[in-house]
Amino acid sequence: MSDPAGDARALDVDGLDRLIAALSERGFAPHGPIVRDGSIVWGPLRGVADLPAGWTLEQDAGRCQLVRRGDGALFGWAVGPDSPKRLFLPPSLQLFTARRDDEGGFALDPPAPAPGPIALIGARPCEIAAIAVQDRVLLGSEHTDAHYRARRDEAFIVAAHCGEPGGTCFCVSADTGPSARSGFDLALTELHGDGEHTFVIEVATERGAAVLEAVPHRAATGDEIARAAAVVTGAASRMGRELETDGLRELLYGCREHPRWDEIAARCLGCANCTMVCPTCFCTSVSDLTDITGATAWRERSWDSCFTMDFSYIHGGSVRPSVGARYRHWITHKLASWHDQFDESGCVGCGRCITWCPVAIDITAEVVGLRSDGSPPPRTRTAGFRV
Amino acid sequence: MTAVDSMRPAIATVRAVRRETADVVTIRLDHGDRSDAFEPGQFHMLYAFGAGEVPISVSGRPARGGGVEHTIRAVGATTRALCRLRRGGTVGVRGPFGTAWPVEEARGRDVVLVAGGIGLAPLRPVIQRIIAERELYGRVTVLYGARTPDDILFEADLARWRGRFDLQVGVTVDHADASWRGHVGVVTTLLTDVDLDPDACLAILCGPEVMMRFTAAELEARGIPRREIWVSLERNMHCGVGLCGHCQMGPELVCRRGPVYRLDHVGRLLGVREV
């Protein structure tokens, strides 16, 4: 980690464009936030022109709206529905191909070559925290996920500290933002307004410094550094949500029979949206498939969700047939058993599960409800859902 | 890709196929040097070409020749495909994965093994190991419950085990037919005839979760502490190595921290609805 006050640099918009080009020249495939499908999603980035200039996302429980900001800020929004998760743990991936041989047996084709390295431009602090969480899950034990590793190992990360939290953000509670502390090569803070458009850059790694050297830049002024710090402090004071994390693990382990679960089950559709948008949810399923002749077979791995009936199916039935038990499993895993498995929380406070829940179930409100004795919960946080 | 891909199966040849019952088959697999690198209680992920992959516990070593045996009940598309395999056929193998039965801890102790249904298969390698080093154990009791006389697995083994003076073997069926002259009732009813020394005994249970719960309760009532009771849990598994999330039971990733557990480590979870 560098000392941001000591050797912070400054780039203008053209400099950021050149930084993306420099990464591209070095063999990285730059990816960043782009406007697509009425939202802001992660996609391939050719340059600054692809970034969502002047756009923001208004978010509340069950609601996300892409709207104009009225200025030209490139990072004036929090997080969209997807995260860099899809780049390292693809939603669907072929794991191997097998072919019948002449003797009636079969053999596996050689593994596909590893994909080239990715550069993330503008990863949010909560997203970087989520990458670290997935690293521990998929790379941190004896058996690692070779496909995740192949995508993750060389990835170059340019963080974008947050200046504009969304209505469902609670990274301050999760202690993951609004500024990133580690897990990046370079980090930027956007300063814009009054004709100014500057990115204050922190250099965290040697290769980050090397890439930056290839790009025209200057030292950041003391005033710029101070204003960059104020951007983050301001964001921290405008969180859309909060989550009291004290004693959360014990709370969830202690309330397995709480009446709240039935109340949630009455609303939850079991649609799995929360798990699809969650940047730490790592569950996958494999399907073994064949072509129509039966001569070639392949294994496909896809994201799966603990909200489906099939997820826990064993001969005789599903382990968690009720929706309430599935929600209980999900939230207990995120906030309690993740600590037992991986020594940390599985929630980074990005708020996606709240925004993208079609019936506006709010993880922060559910915790408040579970902390109560079972009397009707406060519903103020779900007011954003419009019929 | 340089890293070892734990999702790529090795190719194994089916050396022998033995039909146990109408819907259960034992296959002997040979995948070279790694064939017998397993501990009793561990499982392999077996892949039937194009059909699917399932976790199957090792059911023992063959009496003669190398390789490893798996005993499979045909209950779904993949297990049906595995049960259709013929000698000389090919199957994908990943593993062995998971934790093992406490064979070494059992040395010097009385051992009670209680199996229900297909649960006898994961216990068979323990019984084989105990017989191979019989002098290291105290009294050894094997209790086995099957649904009907036609569902009794490993009949030849059971006959051999019953013929030994150093094993006590009890077999019961839930539902008898006219030909059955043996014990009728759930497997816990066999326990009443067994002389248990709670201070010397280690119990190993494998079968449906409800069967293990009732058996454990009976053993606890007879004075055997939870820490001396071991169970093997079944959960949905796609990866076998703690990466896919399917097998979770509370904080447990059953494929990695299980499937074999000491009861005091998971006993509380066994009583929780839909955990």
Side-chain angles (χ1 to χ4, degrees), chain A:
Chain A
M1 271 294 301
S2 61
D3 172 13
D7 55 2
R9 299 285 184 266
L11 282 179
D12 57 14
V13 174
D14 184 52
L16 183 61
D17 198 48
R18 295 218 198 171
L19 179 71
I20 296 168
L23 285 164
S24 202
E25 283 158 20
R26 279 155 199 257
F28 293 97
H31 282 70
I34 58 171
V35 172
R36 199 180 64 204
D37 303 334
S39 191
I40 296 174
V41 298
W42 279 87
L45 211 58
R46 288 161 301 183
V48 160
D50 289 337
L51 290 169
W55 290 103
T56 194
L57 292 171
E58 282 182 5
Q59 304 195 40
D60 202 342
R63 179 172 176 273
C64 184
Q65 190 75 43
L66 181 69
V67 295
R68 282 286 182 193
R69 284 173 55 90
D71 63 16
L74 298 179
F75 298 98
W77 47 278
V79 291
D82 72 359
S83 65
K85 175 169 94 169
R86 69 164 56 246
L87 303 173
F88 300 137
L89 183 70
S92 179
L93 182 70
Q94 193 164 319
L95 297 184
F96 64 75
T97 303
R99 291 174 207 282
R100 282 267 181 229
D101 58 29
D102 296 338
E103 286 87 52
F106 67 89
L108 266 54
D109 283 2
I118 286 173
L120 304 181
I121 311 297
R124 294 303 190 182
C126 60
E127 293 179 327
I128 290 169
I131 291 168
V133 168
Q134 288 215 323
D135 283 353
R136 272 182 281 275
V137 173
L138 300 172
L139 304 177
S141 65
E142 180 195 354
H143 294 281
T144 59
D145 178 346
H147 302 272
Y148 179 85
R149 183 184 290 286
R151 286 160 179 75
R152 173 72 185 95
D153 260 358
E154 297 301 318
F156 189 101
I157 298 181
V158 181
H161 297 318
C162 267
E164 203 74 56
T168 56
C169 288
F170 57 102
C171 66
V172 168
S173 302
D175 197 25
T176 60
S179 65
R181 271 162 250 150
S182 60
F184 53 83
D185 296 285
L186 299 170
L188 64 84
T189 310
E190 184 174 30
L191 301 176
H192 64 90
D194 295 331
E196 179 193 37
H197 204 165
T198 303
F199 300 95
V200 175
I201 307 285
E202 284 168 60
V203 181
T205 62
E206 278 180 25
R207 64 178 189 159
V211 173
L212 194 61
E213 278 313 308
V215 175
H217 66 281
R218 59 176 173 81
T221 66
D223 174 57
E224 285 169 335
I225 293 167
R227 283 189 292 132
V231 163
V232 169
T233 322
S237 68
R238 285 179 282 124
M239 287 285 117
R241 294 286 195 278
E242 61 180 326
L243 176 71
E244 176 56 61
T245 54
D246 270 0
L248 206 44
R249 180 175 166 275
E250 294 67 30
L251 170 80
L252 286 159
Y253 282 154
C255 68
R256 288 203 174 99
E257 300 302 329
H258 199 285
R260 182 82 178 184
W261 302 121
D262 291 333
E263 207 264 328
I264 300 166
R267 290 182 287 150
C268 177
L269 307 176
C271 74
N273 260 18
C274 50
T275 50
M276 295 294 106
V277 296
C278 176
T280 68
C281 272
F282 59 87
C283 289
T284 53
S285 283
V286 296
S287 307
D288 287 295
L289 307 160
T290 60
D291 65 4
I292 198 162
T293 69
T296 306
W298 61 95
R299 176 168 298 169
E300 212 165 85
R301 185 179 71 184
S302 313
W303 290 355
D304 202 352
S305 170
C306 53
F307 279 90
T308 69
M309 272 289 258
D310 276 358
F311 187 80
S312 63
Y313 181 85
I314 48 178
H315 175 62
S318 179
V319 171
R320 288 180 286 274
S322 76
V323 172
R326 281 177 255 157
Y327 188 87
R328 181 182 70 180
H329 171 76
W330 177 74
I331 193 173
T332 305
H333 188 213
K334 283 286 156 207
L335 302 176
S337 48
W338 212 294
H339 288 280
D340 296 87
Q341 294 168 354
F342 306 108
D343 281 331
E344 63 186 344
S345 171
C347 176
V348 296
C350 72
R352 285 184 179 88
C353 58
I354 307 171
T355 298
W356 296 96
C357 177
V359 295
I361 294 173
D362 180 338
I363 188 172
T364 64
E366 294 315 322
V367 167
V368 172
L370 290 164
R371 283 188 192 280
S372 80
D373 55 5
S375 48
R379 299 294 289 272
T380 50
R381 288 299 192 192
T382 59
F385 180 58
R386 291 173 192 163
V387 180

Side-chain angles (χ1 to χ4, degrees), chain B residues 20 75 130 149 172:
Chain B
E20 304 284 351
V75 292
I130 289 175
T172 182

